[in-house]
Amino acid sequence: ALAGGLAPAAAQEDRAEEVIGCLAEAVYFEARGTDARSQEAVAHVVLNRAQSGRFPKSLCGVVHQRSQFSFVRGGKMPSINTGSLHWRNAVAITRIALDGKWKSPVEGALFFHARYVSPGWRLKRIGSIDNHIFYR
């Protein structure tokens, strides 16, 4: 009986780690090397999308949604050096984003791109942080 009682807790912990992993992947691939505020804002875009009703409801669904993030190729993620400082920072930023205490200067952003690209979007620009421009 004890093992049966632990299985749901272990499954819940696995799901939590999967969610952290998905969000950290987005932060890692989209914002590694930028300042913490920019990384946090990128994480919040994923969180905002999951809550918007316009995108998949799960964070992993948002991150893996087709044609949304350039690092997802054919539904697959590139490999990550999980021992790197950039990955550890992405996981730390993810945990901060998930605790909900950080106030984003680009609150409500659903889209972003790096400054060096110009996608020609007709969206409302709401701000920029470090190397990213954010839109609603």
Side-chain angles (χ1 to χ4, degrees), residues 14 39 47 66 84 99 107 119 123:
D14 287 347
Q39 292 181 51
L47 293 169
R66 202 174 162 155
S84 73
D99 85 7
E107 197 65 39
L123 301 169

Side-chain angles (χ1 to χ4, degrees), residues 28-29 32-33 79-92:
Y28 177 84
F29 286 115
R32 74 175 172 254
S79 62
I80 298 171
N81 176 357
T82 56
S84 73
L85 178 60
H86 287 306
W87 176 250
R88 290 193 308 273
N89 286 344
V91 171

Side-chain angles (χ1 to χ4, degrees), residues 52-80:
S52 74
R54 295 171 56 188
F55 297 89
K57 291 182 192 247
S58 74
L59 297 180
C60 291
V62 168
V63 171
H64 295 111
Q65 185 180 13
R66 202 174 162 155
S67 302
Q68 293 299 306
F69 293 101
S70 61
F71 63 88
V72 179
R73 299 281 166 90
K76 298 194 186 315
M77 291 285 171
S79 62
I80 298 171

Side-chain angles (χ1 to χ4, degrees), residues 114-126:
R115 287 187 188 276
Y116 58 83
V117 298
S118 183
W121 295 341
R122 290 197 167 121
L123 301 169
K124 179 177 169 69
R125 181 180 168 162
I126 57 174

